[in-house]
Amino acid sequence: ESAAALAYEQAVAWYGHALALLPPDAGGFLEAELLIQRGEASLAAGDVPGARETFRQAAAVARESGDVERLARAALGLGSGTAGFDVPVWDQGHVALLEEALAALGSSLGALRAQVQARLAVALWVTGDDDRRRMLSDEAVAVAREIGDEAVLASALAARCVVIAGPAFAAV
């Protein structure tokens, strides 16, 4: 297990080296992508605080360069990685970033939008806005079914389970 973690720690270091070597004119796309990959490696290595900070940096770079896809991926990463499901409870910064990403994605009906909607539906769990959470969840499931992406559908359905459970089940 520690050997596997060591590889992720080495990946974090290599991504850091790559970021340090980026020329000033490299553009936000490459920097944001390297930051997202470094965040994923940090999560895999067990460094959640480091990963979250890296995803915040990726979001800032993506925002500044107008890179909507990487902004959305950084927002997803901030929770539990781009492929994860968990969200930090009461993290208004994460909710705000997911909201920003959803707005930036506009009306596109792609996998990334469905993932952001599903994650936001879960992140809004503590707000009590059950109607909005259901709407986000319904749309995420519908889009995932429409595009036929099983991984996205699984994530959307998992979010749907959280949404329909509601806060009343928190004490159980």
Side-chain angles (χ1 to χ4, degrees):
E1 182 176 13
S2 61
L6 180 61
Y8 293 119
E9 290 167 356
Q10 286 177 341
V12 170
W14 282 113
Y15 283 120
H17 294 310
L19 285 160
L21 293 173
L22 278 179
D25 61 346
F29 165 83
L30 183 56
E31 184 179 2
E33 183 62 33
L34 287 170
L35 284 165
I36 289 168
Q37 295 300 321
R38 186 178 191 195
E40 291 288 351
S42 293
L43 274 179
D47 180 11
V48 175
R52 288 179 54 80
E53 179 55 34
T54 302
F55 285 121
R56 282 188 197 98
Q57 291 171 7
V61 169
R63 181 182 301 114
E64 184 176 306
S65 63
D67 189 337
V68 173
E69 177 187 342
R70 276 152 198 82
L71 177 66
R73 288 178 50 219
L76 292 169
L78 187 59
S80 59
T82 55
F85 176 74
D86 293 336
V87 297
V89 178
W90 299 105
D91 186 345
Q92 292 306 308
H94 185 221
V95 169
L97 187 55
L98 287 166
E99 294 276 18
E100 178 185 359
L102 185 60
L105 286 165
S107 61
S108 68
L109 292 179
L112 196 53
R113 181 176 174 80
Q115 290 171 306
V116 170
Q117 286 176 307
R119 191 75 61 87
L120 183 57
V122 174
L124 291 172
W125 179 73
V126 295
T127 65
D129 189 352
D130 292 337
D131 291 338
R132 178 142 189 260
R133 292 175 58 239
R134 274 190 213 99
M135 183 267 310
L136 287 165
S137 173
D138 288 346
E139 288 181 14
V141 170
V143 168
R145 285 188 171 135
E146 182 177 322
I147 64 175
D149 188 319
E150 292 180 1
V152 174
L153 180 58
S155 178
L157 288 171
R160 182 69 178 158
C161 288
V162 173
V163 167
I164 62 175
F169 293 93
V172 175

